[in-house]
């Protein structure tokens, strides 16, 4: 650890952390970042650049880092593009450099630098334009290999992520001096406070500077403030938590890296947690980001931001270079020189681009350091800076040997979060910075984020904004005595680029965008800052131009000879720093991606070995295979035959059920359904259709009149939620005068179809013997309350989806499992068979009943053969527009049955109808096949379809074609009711 | 024990095994439940009828009001869930007699699963799926929220300051709620208690 | 986005279902121009830049329809009232 300073720093020298970088072993201390540990181990070369594969080192000490991106961990936990500068070092950390081949020190694509004219602004668009056929096969793979960032893991992430909500009065974003001050004053009023900071230690630049507050080191002041906050019950501290987005109405998105500082999260703990903070008020105290200066080879490893140099010296006790040159356009750079000297480093020269009078005034404080009023033209070195070329204002040039260049182009307020709701920052010409202007409702800004750059200003504005924010929430307090702080100055005369440069001058390090690229783009007409960004990629990728954005804007302004204010900024959008998709998904991945709904018979069905399928959110039994049945076909055919010959059981609880009561229940139902219900007697059920107001079919189901003013209506499984919502909409907005009450009882009733010639016999064994199921007492479409043999109440409906003698029996949801077992046991000698969705589908196709494939949102009642059901005696939803001429045109595709002419031919859903001898083209398309099945009763494939003039074409032969799969066959058009068209069976 | 549909509700420890559990979870069974919706313009009369019969005024704000053996959980304007002990008598009929023409009554006894949640980390667990503020300044004993937990519709109310919460969830969604609850409580450790009959 | 439900209190927008314009009114089905009037009612909408009154359903809460006033430019929500009160008041006039 040759660059480690013997004493000081916020590191724990008792706790050694071993880690690897590109396979080689090193060690650092707890409290180190990966970057500080690499620097302590004299590792300067950390990555290769995006386009030119130039050697890159560590530029910054925070989340703004554009260069030092590494792959963290390995295997399934490998995470690309993590910033070495804000990774907390832990024992066992594995990091790998990115975008280099075969090795970091020798990268064959560094030759790209020699062909840099090929890689200028817009090179993707220019170089890879033609021939077009080359794009997918040649160019894209080439670009992806060459211009890559890190590699994502290929295996599924083994760790757990989650999401959580937290509420507060005041959210403070950033725990530097301003944030701590704001949290203190807000919390002391009794307000509920959340304080979040992206770093693994709270304190911000209090940890990085040799400053004092009331005579004590700033870090000690911060520690006291944190201790006070921690002692308050309504304050929550969130280190390692990046507030990445500002959303509407005081919602802030944040990601907490709960266990990223461990190789593997402890059992049962998440790796990361996404927070949604709901805050009445927020104080943004996100600080500022230092700007690099633009000179030749300013990307060489060893060229570092001056403020970052101080962080490494003071917080991490690392000397990033023994012999430094400081290059600055402001007073703050001189502080770095002082800190370097204090830490035992050597400062070969301070180069200050400002007027000699300013420089000599400052130089009096540093009699031992050579101060030059002038510029660094360029850095020299192979894989690391070895010297700089400097030109003084007087015109003399020097070469100064050094292995560290600390550069300071001033600090830009970190105001990204002020812009997430669409507000643009304002250019402050005097200070040459963008400052927040219009703010999201409830947000205030304190400290450097607002352009108040000194420690004293940070504390004052922090205290004040914390207090005002709390006051806005109804809490009162008072300003504390203002602490005495070390004096400092933020004077600056901006130097956007040096006048004479040696070598490439990088503006955006991550995207390899140089001053030449900016000029070329402007020359080619990309004059808007948004166009410049897209054309040059300046400000894109993982760092989103945190260090480069303002300089890019200023250079464009300079080039166009317009004020920076007129150039504007690009748009800041969430997230502030990259957020893993896994964290955003949280618990909801894999089978928890969305909730699953289990039918009441689920356990019974799984015990029988049923195969299940998703039906909307529901998991429903598809078929119940018996020993020896290996596919879906055999059990389905067997189940269909059983229903048509003995008796079958099917869980139909998934249908939506809505109980409608009240004196106006009938009026309400009459207006919802298109057909007549006024004549429905108590104890009877009727099929009903609902239209949308535009006249198309909405849903179908039954309504059972349970009592004078009580109806139980059913909806399709798919539309249950929409129908329920629609009913509320109609009641609450269209007919609020109706005295009607209704509620969903879908879960209250477990409902089973008992279908087949022996269904009556089976039910008689299960129901109270006094219950008369004869045709006279309980005819087709009857409904009523019944009792089971054990006395428990149930409801019985004589309705049939299969076309057989059939019933549906319902019991309260928690009794469903018991009832299905009772039914199944009681019917063994009757040949009872459980049947699933596949059989249900065959049974309904055989009877021509429509489902979702036909109720597809594009069909009308007339199309589906319900035209005559539409009442002309009443107003109902869809009554007016449903009468439109185009909707009742007989030439519309209308419902028909189809059966193959060749009894061995198969059908597929989605096949199109084409007249027999017509060309297979869109002009001759006459509709499509909606549902198909193999009918084990008819022993051939049959289907339903929507065919132009369909009902008038029974007996005609038409081709059905499937051009996608190259299949076609001849079918005969017929009635959609294939079995028992007279309905004798269901009335039996 | 009410029949869960997919997984097995079994007493024991979930997640972290060391130390006291952060969440204690217990299913409450053998309750009767009904939706009560006031007829048009009859909300005050419905409240009066309940007050006379059960000693509890169905609340007009999101709270719970408990009477002799029946509690009314606010569910919307003029809309309550009546919660009482299971009995051989029909709950719907019993309430129907009391409310008469003032309200419609719908039996829901089989539609929901009722859980009681307590323990030092119960708020942290709930925060992972419930978006409302459960801080004691915002939500107190007797308060009710009709909201979502992990995207599933629930009624949530607080029954003691400790705090203790009750969570009523739709039966057919219960498996998904359970998976979220178990995952969310895992880091704190969760003790699942044997189901117990519901009491007020 | 958070919607201040007049019954339940402020809630996250995930609890709500959006429907649309709350200012259109269902015409009479028996009027002379019923079809044209219904055509407008179903299909014709303004697309205002600024405040918009719209229907939202509190699906994850009290199951009440609300009339929410929202600024289409920035999602600022000025308030929400029960749809019943708005549409019942219509009837009275």
């Amino acid at each position: 650890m040759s660059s480690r300073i013997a004493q000081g720093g916020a590191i724990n020298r008792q706790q050694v952390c071993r880690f690897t970088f590109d396979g080689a072993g090193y060690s650092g201390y707890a409290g180190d970042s990966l970057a500080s540990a690499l620097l302590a181990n004299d590792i300067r070369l950390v990555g290769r650049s995006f386009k030119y594969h130039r050697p890159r080192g560590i530029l910054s000490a925070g989340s703004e880092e554009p260069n030092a991106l590494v792959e963290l961990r390995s295997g399934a936990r490998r995470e690309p593009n993590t910033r070495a500068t804000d990774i907390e070092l832990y024992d066992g950390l594995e990091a790998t450099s990115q975008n280099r081949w075969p090795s970091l020190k020798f990268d064959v694509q560094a030759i790209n630098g020699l062909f840099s004219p090929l890689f200028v602004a817009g090179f993707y668009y220019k170089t890879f334009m033609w021939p077009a056929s080359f794009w997918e096969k040649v160019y894209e793979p080439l670009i992806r290999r060459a211009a890559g960032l890190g590699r994502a893991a290929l295996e599924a992430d083994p760790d757990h992520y989650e999401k959580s909500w937290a509420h507060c009065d005041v959210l403070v974003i950033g725990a530097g001096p301003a944030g701590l001050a704001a949290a203190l004053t807000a919390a002391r009023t009794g307000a509920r406070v959340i304080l979040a900071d992206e770093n693994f230690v709270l304190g911000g630049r209090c940890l990085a500077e040799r400053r004092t507050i009331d005579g004590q080191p700033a870090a000690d002041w911060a520690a006291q403030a944190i201790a006070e906050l921690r002692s308050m019950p309504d304050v929550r501290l969130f280190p390692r938590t990046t507030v990445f987005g500002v959303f509407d109405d005081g919602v802030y998105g944040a990601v907490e890296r709960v266990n990223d500082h461990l190789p593997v999260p402890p059992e049962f703990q998440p790796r990361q947690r996404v927070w949604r903070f709901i805050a009445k008020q927020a104080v943004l105290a996100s600080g500022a980001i230092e700007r690099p200066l633009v000179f030749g080879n300013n990307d060489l490893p060893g060229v570092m931001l001056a403020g970052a140099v101080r962080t490494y010296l003071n917080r991490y006790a690392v000397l990033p270079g023994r012999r430094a040159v400081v290059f600055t356009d402001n007073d703050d750079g001189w502080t770095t020189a002082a800190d370097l000297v204090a830490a035992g480093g050597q400062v070969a020269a301070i180069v200050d681009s400002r007027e000699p009078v300013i420089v000599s005034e400052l130089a009096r404080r540093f009699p031992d350091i050579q101060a030059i009023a002038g510029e660094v033209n360029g850095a020299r070195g192979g894989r690391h800076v070895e010297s700089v070329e400097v030109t003084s204002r007087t015109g003399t040039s020097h070469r100064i040997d050094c292995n560290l260049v600390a550069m300071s182009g001033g600090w830009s307020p970190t105001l990204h979060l002020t812009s997430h709701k669409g507000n643009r920052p304002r250019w402050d010409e005097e200070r040459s910075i963008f400052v927040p202007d219009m703010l999201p409702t409830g947000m205030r800004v304190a400290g450097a984020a607002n352009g108040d750059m000194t420690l004293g200003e940070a504390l004052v504005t922090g205290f004040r904004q914390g207090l005002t924010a709390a006051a806005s929430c109804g809490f009162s307090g008072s300003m504390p005595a203002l602490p005495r702080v070390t004096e400092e100055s933020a004077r600056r005369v901006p130097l956007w680029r040096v006048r004479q440069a040696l070598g490439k001058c990088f503006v955006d390090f991550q995207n390899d965008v140089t001053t030449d690229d900016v000029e070329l783009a402007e020359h080619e007409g990309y004059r808007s800052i948004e166009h410049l960004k897209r054309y040059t990629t300046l400000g894109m990728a993982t760092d989103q131009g945190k260090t480069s954005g303002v300089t890019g804007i200023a250079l464009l302004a300079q080039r166009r000879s317009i004020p920076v204010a007129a150039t504007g900024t690009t748009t800041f959008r969430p997230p502030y720093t990259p957020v893993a998709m896994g964290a955003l998904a949280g618990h909801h991945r894999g089978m928890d991606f969305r909730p699953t709904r289990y039918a009441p018979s689920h356990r019974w069905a799984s015990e029988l070995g049923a195969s299940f399928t998703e039906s909307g959110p529901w998991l429903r039994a598809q078929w119940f295979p018996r020993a020896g049945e290996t596919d879906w076909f055999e059990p389905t055919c067997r189940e269909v035959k059983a229903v048509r010959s003995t008796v079958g059981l099917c869980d139909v609880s998934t249908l939506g059920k809505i109980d409608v009561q009240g004196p106006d229940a009938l009026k309400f139902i009459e207006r919802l359904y298109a057909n007549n219900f006024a004549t429905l007697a108590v104890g009877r059920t009727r099929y009903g259709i609902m239209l949308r107001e535009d006249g198309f079919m909405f849903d179908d189901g039954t309504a059972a009149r349970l009592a004078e003013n009580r109806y139980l209506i059913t909806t399709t499984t798919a539309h249950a939620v929409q129908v329920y919502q629609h009913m509320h909409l109609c009641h609450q907005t269209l007919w609020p005068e109706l005295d009607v009450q209704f509620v969903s009882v879908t879960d209250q009733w477990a409902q089973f179809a008992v279908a087949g010639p022996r269904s009556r016999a089976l039910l008689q064994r299960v129901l109270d013997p006094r219950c008369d199921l004869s045709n006279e007492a309980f005819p087709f479409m009857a409904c009523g309350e019944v009792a089971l043999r054990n006395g428990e109440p149930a409801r019985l409906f004589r309705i049939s989806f299969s076309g057989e003698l059939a019933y549906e029996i319902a019991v309260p949801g928690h009794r469903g499992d018991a009832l299905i077992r009772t039914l199944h046991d009681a019917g063994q000698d009757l040949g009872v068979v459980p049947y699933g969705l596949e059989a249900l589908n065959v049974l309904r196709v055989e009877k021509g009943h429509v489902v979702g494939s036909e109720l597809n949102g594009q069909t009308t009642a007339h199309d589906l053969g319900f035209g005559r059901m539409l009442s002309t005696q009443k107003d109902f939803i869809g009554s007016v527009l449903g009468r439109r001429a185009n909707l009742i045109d007989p030439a519309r595709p209308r419902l028909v049955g189809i059966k193959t002419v060749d009894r061995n031919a198969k059908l597929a859903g989605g096949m199109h109808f084409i007249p027999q001898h017509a060309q297979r083209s869109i002009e001759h398309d006459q509709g499509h096949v909606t549902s198909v099945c193999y009918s084990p009763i008819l022993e051939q494939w049959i289907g339903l379809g929507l065919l132009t003039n369909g009902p008038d074409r029974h007996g005609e032969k038409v081709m059905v074609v499937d051009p996608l799969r190259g299949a076609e066959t001849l079918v005969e058009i017929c009635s959609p009711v294939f079995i028992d068209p007279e309905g004798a069976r269901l009335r039996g | 024990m009410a029949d869960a549909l997919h997984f097995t509700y079994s007493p024991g420890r979930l997640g972290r095994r060391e130390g006291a559990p952060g969440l204690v979870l217990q299913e409450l069974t053998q309750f009767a439940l009904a939706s009560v919706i006031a007829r048009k313009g009859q909300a005050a009369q419905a409240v009066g009828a309940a007050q006379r019969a059960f000693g509890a005024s169905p609340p007009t704000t999101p709270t719970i009001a408990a009477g002799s053996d029946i509690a009314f959980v606010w569910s919307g304007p003029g809309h309550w869930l009546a919660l009482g002990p299971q009995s051989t008598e029909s709950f719907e009929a019993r309430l129907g007699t009391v409310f008469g023409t003032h309200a419609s009554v719908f039996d829901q006894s089989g539609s929901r699963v009722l859980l009681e949640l307590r323990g030092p980390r119960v708020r942290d667990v709930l925060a992972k799926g419930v978006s409302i503020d459960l801080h004691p300044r915002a939500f107190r004993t007797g308060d009710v929220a009709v909201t979502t937990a992990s995207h599933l519709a629930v009624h949530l109310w607080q029954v003691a300051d400790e705090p203790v919460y009750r969570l009523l969830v739709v039966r057919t969604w219960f498996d998904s709620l359970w998976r979220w609850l178990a995952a969310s409580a895992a880091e704190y450790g969760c003790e699942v208690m044997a189901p117990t009959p519901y009491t007020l | 986005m958070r919607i201040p439900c007049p019954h339940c209190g402020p809630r996250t927008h995930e609890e709500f279902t959006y429907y649309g314009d709350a200012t259109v009114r269902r015409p009479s089905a028996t009027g002379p121009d019923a079809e044209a009037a219904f055509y407008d009612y179903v299909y014709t909408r303004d697309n205002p830049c600024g405040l918009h009154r719209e229907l939202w359903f509190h699906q994850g809460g009290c199951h009440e329809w609300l009339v929410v006033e929202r600024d289409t430019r920035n999602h600022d929500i000025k308030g929400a009232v029960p749809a019943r009160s708005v549409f019942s008041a219509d009837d009275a006039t």
Side-chain angles (χ1 to χ4, degrees), chain A residues 759-769 771-774 789:
Chain A
S759 55
R760 183 182 285 130
L762 174 53
L763 280 171
Q764 273 164 343
R765 294 179 181 188
V766 171
L767 295 177
D768 185 323
C771 184
D772 185 355
L773 292 184
S774 69
R789 283 196 175 240

Side-chain angles (χ1 to χ4, degrees), chain A residues 432-511:
Chain A
S432 297
I433 51 175
F434 281 103
V435 290
D437 191 19
M438 297 286 286
L439 295 172
T441 311
M443 183 188 278
R444 294 149 209 290
V445 192
N450 206 33
D452 300 317
M453 296 294 181
T454 66
L455 178 58
E457 288 171 324
L459 292 170
V460 175
T461 57
F463 284 137
R464 189 179 300 129
Q465 297 291 41
L467 205 56
T468 336
S472 302
C473 303
F475 296 89
S476 58
S478 52
M479 278 291 277
L482 293 181
R484 286 171 293 108
V485 297
T486 323
E487 271 185 41
E488 57 190 309
S489 156
R491 279 186 308 174
R492 171 172 178 247
V493 179
L495 175 72
W496 298 117
R497 61 182 295 180
V498 296
R499 280 161 282 260
Q500 280 183 303
L502 277 171
K504 280 191 198 320
C505 302
F506 285 89
V507 182
D508 184 322
F509 293 81
Q510 189 162 96
N511 292 289

Side-chain angles (χ1 to χ4, degrees), chain C residues 43-86:
Chain C
Y43 296 110
T44 314
R45 290 290 181 277
D46 289 334
N47 183 18
C49 174
L51 286 181
H52 189 223
R53 287 157 63 83
E54 49 200 25
L55 283 161
W56 291 75
F57 184 58
H58 198 180
Q59 175 81 42
C62 58
H63 285 187
E64 291 288 307
W65 282 91
L66 308 177
V67 174
V68 176
E69 197 170 18
R70 180 179 65 98
D71 193 320
T72 58
R73 295 166 301 180
N74 53 20
H75 300 320
D76 276 354
I77 289 179
K78 302 290 174 207
V81 294
R84 288 176 196 266
S85 65
V86 174

